[in-house]
Amino acid sequence: MLSVKTLFQEILDNDESFRLFCSIAAGGESQGGWENGRIAALAPVSQRALVPKIARHGADEDKHGRIFNALLRKRGLRPADVPHETNYTMLLERYGIGLAHEQLNGDEPLTEQDIITYLAHSRVTEQRASEQMAMLRKHFAHHPDLGRAVKLISNDEDNHLAYCHEELLRLARSGHGRSIQRILRECALTEIRVYRDVSLAVMGHMGRILGWSRARAAVLAAGIHGVYAYERLVGWRRMVSLAPPERRDALGGPPVPAPEYA
């Protein structure tokens, strides 16, 4: 029977598919760490109070990248080249979501509007990350190799999502509500399209590695398209709502160090 758990178990049990999975995850997390580090360095004076939280966000993402690389080393594997069509972060930037790397590579301070764009982008992508890690935590919290990593990263992603809610609500109260909602909607509608395309690309590569039949590949592709259709119709709304989080000041403390995985 084809299920999320059996699908991921198959990917985890094969060295080559596991290598690609961890390499894609590590690359995305490391890229997020760099982006947050640059945003912290360029934050405007009006938002300097946010800098420690942005830096903490980046430190967590860097930590996640190291964890996925450590999981590879533990199995004696080297990182794989990440196919460009599976690079979620790069594709989001290509479609104009978030702050451009050209801007982050410069020395010009960001504006308050740039910070709003960063937080709105993060609110959408952290929703996806939180949901994905919750799914992995549900099925693999007790996995001998992946369990500790999944639980730690899942907790961090929930913190990141809470932080985005809290800071966007603060900025909405200061008069940016309409701008925030506009950017959130644009980000969400683009993200669900990019997520569909990346999911299809990743499953295509996994299918070739694992030798899936055409029928099985077609079923998985249909499922991905079905998720996209739902999200395009109504599902995107969960990514744009804002509510006071249960976790307050989730990124207010120092980063939690990662245990050694290899």
Side-chain angles (χ1 to χ4, degrees), residues 29-220:
E29 297 286 357
S30 298
Q31 187 62 55
W34 176 85
E35 290 174 358
N36 278 276
R38 292 302 300 154
I39 291 167
L42 298 173
V45 173
S46 65
Q47 298 298 320
R48 295 306 293 176
L50 262 185
V51 168
K53 295 181 181 182
I54 300 171
R56 162 76 183 276
H57 190 178
D60 284 348
E61 303 288 5
D62 279 335
K63 175 181 66 181
H64 301 167
R66 294 195 303 273
I67 288 171
F68 281 112
N69 281 319
L71 289 170
L72 286 173
R73 290 195 301 273
K74 188 172 183 179
R75 279 177 57 168
L77 302 172
R78 297 178 62 84
D81 292 333
V82 175
H84 68 88
E85 66 272 18
T86 69
N87 192 324
Y88 173 80
T89 304
M90 179 192 73
L91 291 172
L92 285 173
E93 184 193 359
R94 181 178 296 173
Y95 284 105
I97 298 302
L99 301 178
H101 286 185
E102 182 179 359
Q103 182 179 14
L104 296 180
N105 273 318
D107 297 320
E108 189 72 22
L110 300 175
T111 65
E112 191 166 272
Q113 187 62 41
D114 290 329
I115 296 298
I116 291 170
T117 297
Y118 147 69
L119 286 168
H121 166 238
S122 296
R123 187 263 175 272
V124 170
T125 56
E126 293 297 344
Q127 178 79 39
R128 182 74 70 188
S130 177
E131 291 170 354
Q132 288 185 318
M133 293 311 302
M135 178 271 294
L136 287 175
R137 186 171 188 163
K138 175 183 177 181
H139 296 299
F140 297 104
H142 302 294
H143 189 278
D145 294 328
L146 204 62
R148 286 191 303 153
V150 163
K151 287 185 283 188
L152 187 151
I153 296 172
S154 179
N155 183 68
D156 284 349
E157 302 297 7
D158 290 346
N159 282 339
H160 299 167
L161 184 58
Y163 149 74
C164 292
H165 274 268
E166 193 168 49
E167 297 304 331
L168 285 169
L169 285 169
R170 175 181 63 81
L171 288 162
R173 287 192 296 269
S174 67
H176 296 286
R178 287 188 178 182
S179 176
I180 289 169
Q181 283 301 317
R182 175 182 57 80
I183 298 170
L184 281 172
R185 187 177 189 278
E186 292 173 356
C187 284
L189 292 175
T190 300
E191 192 279 342
I192 63 173
R193 186 170 72 250
V194 169
Y195 180 71
R196 175 202 61 190
D197 293 345
V198 168
S199 297
L200 289 169
V202 170
M203 287 300 104
H205 284 282
M206 293 300 179
R208 286 188 286 276
I209 291 170
L210 296 169
W212 290 341
S213 66
R214 289 187 178 182
R216 188 178 193 190
V219 168
L220 289 171

